[in-house]
Amino acid sequence: MISIIVPTFNEEKTIEIFLEEIKKLKLKNFELIIVDDSFDKTAEIAKKLMKKFKIRGKVLKRFGKRGKGSAIRDGLKISKGEKIVLVDADLQYPIEKIPFLIEKLEECDIVNTRRLRKDSFVRKILGLSFRLLVFLFFGLTIETQSTFRAFKKEVKEKINFKANSWAWDVEFLYKAKKLDFKICSYPVVYKERKFGKSKISFFTPLKMFLEILRIRLSFL
């Protein structure tokens, strides 16, 4: 079985299109797990459409914004798949590439995507600065902040990440590296958001820096 885990926060404008794209994949023997912290009707819409489209799975409704890492961890706890895919519902990632990521798991333990994107000068500088810090703190040279990722059940069972925030990826990939899991990198086109608002604020880079610093200190 394949488990597709989707953390959502206020995606009522994109969730229908996202589910239509999932249905188009015509995957066999899969479950869709949506972990929702929204204040809007994302969970309600998702439940109705999953039933309409006959998509097997569950919508786990949580209350209060607990963080992306926390949402993914809760999704992993109830997942049953031998292969696991993580993806956002904001339509910025190419959903049609999910079967390819699953296929690549025959060669790797983790398939980590690298986003090909057009950014402003300021965002490029922030991104480069963050990647430099991740390299200096953890020795990771792969992109850590792409949520579009696939990995085997064995990885889920052996990696216990504790970070609740956006920086959970760093802890996850660092622990995977220490456990000698084979990580493959695959480039994907990352689209501009057309619906809803970005979850990244002016203070996000500072929060992420403090979080990866906390993660690094926890390994000392």
Side-chain angles (χ1 to χ4, degrees):
M1 177 185 284
I2 299 162
S3 296
I4 301 176
I5 299 175
V6 187
T8 55
F9 182 69
N10 295 345
E11 296 292 355
E12 64 180 9
K13 292 183 179 180
T14 64
I15 194 65
E16 181 171 2
I17 301 173
F18 173 80
L19 290 173
E20 288 174 347
E21 292 298 312
I22 291 293
K23 183 182 178 183
K24 288 178 185 177
L25 296 177
K26 296 182 179 180
L27 292 172
K28 296 180 179 179
N29 195 24
F30 81 99
E31 62 176 357
L32 182 68
I33 300 172
I34 295 176
V35 186
D36 184 62
D37 286 354
S38 301
F39 299 122
D40 63 12
K41 296 181 179 180
T42 300
E44 180 182 338
I45 296 170
K47 287 179 181 178
K48 290 180 180 179
L49 291 175
M50 285 174 66
K51 184 176 181 180
K52 176 183 177 182
F53 296 155
K54 297 181 180 180
I55 296 175
R56 176 182 177 182
K58 182 175 183 178
V59 178
L60 178 60
K61 178 61 182 174
R62 309 194 309 172
F63 296 93
K65 190 177 180 182
R66 303 184 194 178
K68 197 166 199 174
S70 171
I72 291 171
R73 189 164 52 244
D74 281 356
L76 289 172
K77 287 177 183 176
I78 62 174
S79 65
K80 300 176 182 178
E82 295 296 320
K83 297 178 179 179
I84 298 160
V85 177
L86 307 180
V87 67
D88 289 340
D90 56 15
L91 307 178
Q92 292 184 277
Y93 291 103
I95 308 302
E96 69 275 9
K97 294 293 184 180
I98 287 178
F100 178 81
L101 297 192
I102 294 168
E103 184 180 337
K104 289 288 286 184
L105 286 177
E106 299 299 323
E107 306 171 20
C108 319
D109 298 308
I110 301 171
V111 182
N112 193 67
T113 62
R114 175 171 57 86
R115 295 173 294 179
L116 303 177
R117 55 190 291 178
K118 294 180 180 180
D119 286 330
S120 65
F121 177 76
V122 173
R123 190 154 185 169
K124 284 181 180 178
I125 294 299
L126 290 173
L128 287 171
S129 299
F130 183 79
R131 286 195 290 274
L132 177 60
L133 287 173
V134 169
F135 172 72
L136 292 175
F137 285 177
F138 303 96
L140 293 171
T141 56
I142 56 176
E143 180 174 355
T144 59
Q145 297 316 114
S146 174
T147 307
F148 196 24
R149 181 177 293 122
F151 49 89
K152 297 176 180 176
K153 183 180 180 180
E154 180 186 2
V155 175
K156 177 189 82 168
E157 293 174 339
K158 291 190 176 182
I159 296 180
N160 177 29
F161 63 91
K162 299 178 180 179
N164 292 327
S165 72
W166 295 77
W168 78 273
D169 312 64
V170 177
E171 181 183 357
F172 175 83
L173 291 169
Y174 179 62
K175 289 183 174 180
K177 178 185 174 184
K178 290 184 68 177
L179 290 169
D180 291 324
F181 282 116
K182 184 177 180 181
I183 304 174
C184 297
S185 183
Y186 178 72
V188 295
V189 175
Y190 186 73
K191 304 172 186 176
E192 290 294 324
R193 174 182 278 273
K194 293 182 179 179
F195 304 96
K197 297 180 180 180
S198 172
K199 310 305 185 299
I200 298 176
S201 69
F202 177 79
F203 296 102
T204 297
L206 175 60
K207 291 178 181 177
M208 291 181 72
F209 167 73
L210 294 174
E211 182 67 8
I212 63 171
L213 177 61
R214 184 196 66 78
I215 293 170
R216 187 67 191 95
L217 292 174
S218 71
F219 287 103
L220 295 179

